[in-house]
Amino acid sequence: MKEKNFFLNIKKQLPKGCFIQKIENKFNSGFVDLILITEKNPLFIELKTTKKGNRINVEKSQISTHLRISANNYVSFFLVHDSLTSDLFLFEGGKLCNYLATNQLCTLAISEKKEIGFLVRGSLKECLDFANHLICEGEVCKDSL
């Protein structure tokens, strides 16, 4: 599945009342693909679909952006569509990009290893629920301000 089709599929599945904004990266290479507001939290999401060998490619500018988001005490995510199984994998962006930067990688085989930032495998609803829960556990949740 191409990233554009992945986005359209996500858009169709969102519950009523969600706000989604696709970010076009013509002038700001590396910024996240989506800002999605579900419940009450903004989610910064990078969309990826697996390539041959169940791998994703991450640009250096994307690694930099996710590391900057993390350094400013926000959370970003990678939502990965496995082309073979149609499963969705959710990764914490800062942790994944820290792993990539530390190991000087731009390609990664998808796995459920916690050290690369894996959070959950499941449906779109399960992934978004987990992302919202993760944000609300930290100081980012608006209810805690």
Side-chain angles (χ1 to χ4, degrees):
M1 175 183 297
K2 296 209 182 262
E3 189 178 296
K4 180 180 179 180
N5 293 337
F6 185 24
F7 165 71
L8 293 173
N9 191 23
I10 288 170
K11 193 173 178 179
K12 281 191 274 185
Q13 292 183 58
L14 288 177
K16 200 171 189 171
C18 288
F19 172 77
I20 187 169
Q21 180 65 53
K22 176 92 167 103
I23 308 296
E24 298 299 329
N25 290 331
K26 290 180 184 178
F27 302 107
N28 191 8
S29 177
F31 199 72
V32 296
D33 292 321
L34 300 177
I35 296 176
L36 177 63
I37 300 174
T38 63
E39 299 173 15
K40 53 194 156 267
N41 302 310
L43 304 176
F44 300 100
I45 301 174
E46 184 70 39
L47 298 177
K48 293 289 180 186
T49 57
T50 57
K51 310 285 186 224
K52 189 175 184 179
N54 206 28
R55 301 177 89 66
I56 60 168
N57 295 321
V58 182
E59 300 292 328
K60 288 180 182 180
S61 59
Q62 293 170 326
I63 293 170
S64 175
T65 296
H66 286 272
L67 290 176
R68 285 185 289 166
I69 290 170
S70 180
N72 283 290
N73 298 318
Y74 286 91
V75 180
S76 62
F77 301 94
F78 278 74
L79 185 61
V80 179
H81 176 266
D82 182 341
S83 300
L84 295 175
T85 64
S86 294
D87 289 342
L88 295 179
F89 291 78
L90 185 70
F91 294 87
E92 194 270 303
K95 195 166 189 177
L96 176 62
C97 288
N98 187 49
Y99 176 85
L100 292 171
T102 300
N103 293 287
Q104 298 180 339
L105 299 172
C106 286
T107 302
L108 182 75
I110 296 303
S111 80
E112 296 183 16
K113 294 179 181 176
K114 299 292 183 193
E115 63 268 17
I116 65 169
F118 172 76
L119 297 171
V120 68
R121 177 183 190 170
S123 68
L124 179 63
K125 181 180 180 343
E126 290 168 319
C127 289
L128 295 180
D129 285 349
F130 194 95
N132 273 302
H133 178 74
L134 180 69
I135 288 175
C136 278
E137 281 183 348
E139 296 177 24
V140 181
C141 185
K142 290 181 181 181
D143 285 345
S144 66
L145 296 176

